[in-house]
Amino acid sequence: MSKADVFRALHHHRAPGDPLVLPGPWDAASARVFAEAGFPALATPSAGVAACLGYEDGQVPADEMFAAVARIVRAVDVPVSADVEGGYGIAPKELVERLLEVGAVGCNLEDSEGGVLKDPRVHADWLAQVREAAGDRLFVNARVDTFARGVADPEAAIERAALYVAAGADCVYPIGAPPEVLPLLRAGIQGPINVVAVPGQGPSPAELGARGATRITFGPGLQRRATRALREIAAGLRP
């Protein structure tokens, strides 16, 4: 079984309250920490990697992002999925080839650009091209940005999710969805659902799983928490 197959299998047949928890490494060292802690797979956050590379989120050149993902993949034995934002304007076939070259088993793909939601049918067609190029070699996590872009109606997310699942997405990611709407999203969306948890705040991963989340990621939350801890250490070093 390939790593991509292993990663895909981790998303299925999960009991309520037992979601797949995927920490987000931002470099090779953090990836090793998470792998050594026993997590079965990892998922890079674009914002966390950007901070590590000295960029604002969304400003990392594609070559640098792929190189960063390659270093993370090389550092661990567990499957690694990569957040490659909106695909950097790369054609679907080349995007898939580059992800496979760096050893990623999956990818996050956003449906907004410059803060504006994309036409969902156009985006679904693009996702279908990614799916066709990837076959079963990549797990495609289609991000749904409605909540993040100020569209509070869950039905808008459900409608986009349906288009993306029909296009071949393995999972949908309604980023920013309030925890209280997760049962409604679960009822209306086919297949796995990715939900963000905030370390130390809000519902726990288990609670989010009980509300309908299949998998839990943390965005840049873990990297930012580590940075805060480092600031405290640094402050203690001053005479």
Side-chain angles (χ1 to χ4, degrees), residues 1-12 20 22 31 35 39-42 69-82 99-100 102-107 136-140 170 215:
M1 183 181 290
S2 70
K3 281 189 175 180
D5 290 335
V6 170
F7 187 69
R8 184 172 284 107
L10 287 170
H11 291 75
H12 295 284
L20 173 62
L22 297 176
F39 290 97
L42 307 174
V69 172
R71 289 190 293 271
I72 289 168
V73 170
R74 192 165 58 241
V76 295
D77 292 328
V78 299
V80 177
S81 182
L99 284 161
L100 294 173
V102 300
V105 300
C107 59
D136 61 0
R137 298 176 296 170
L138 285 176
F139 185 96
V140 177
D170 296 284
R215 88 180 205 178

Side-chain angles (χ1 to χ4, degrees), residues 16-160:
D18 181 33
L20 173 62
V21 178
L22 297 176
W26 53 93
D27 60 11
S30 59
R32 288 194 178 114
V33 169
F34 296 137
E36 289 167 2
F39 290 97
L42 307 174
T44 69
S46 64
V49 174
C52 178
L53 297 175
Y55 292 95
E56 295 296 323
D57 187 25
Q59 300 301 311
V60 181
D63 288 349
E64 292 197 44
M65 182 62 77
F66 285 112
V69 172
R71 289 190 293 271
I72 289 168
V73 170
R74 192 165 58 241
V76 295
D77 292 328
V78 299
V80 177
S81 182
D83 183 346
V84 289
E85 303 177 271
Y88 307 110
I90 301 171
K93 185 173 184 297
E94 181 184 351
L95 179 62
V96 168
E97 289 172 352
R98 296 194 69 173
L99 284 161
L100 294 173
E101 283 173 3
V102 300
V105 300
C107 59
N108 281 9
L109 295 169
E110 303 171 3
D111 71 345
S112 64
E113 184 175 7
V116 178
L117 289 166
K118 297 178 181 178
D119 181 298
R121 295 189 181 279
V122 173
H123 187 63
D125 288 344
W126 183 79
L127 287 174
Q129 294 176 55
V130 173
R131 175 84 284 156
E132 182 178 9
D136 61 0
R137 298 176 296 170
L138 285 176
F139 185 96
V140 177
N141 188 30
R143 209 175 86 172
V144 178
D145 288 1
T146 50
F147 294 103
R149 304 305 175 204
V151 181
D153 184 1
E155 288 302 322
I158 291 170
E159 289 171 6
R160 284 177 175 259

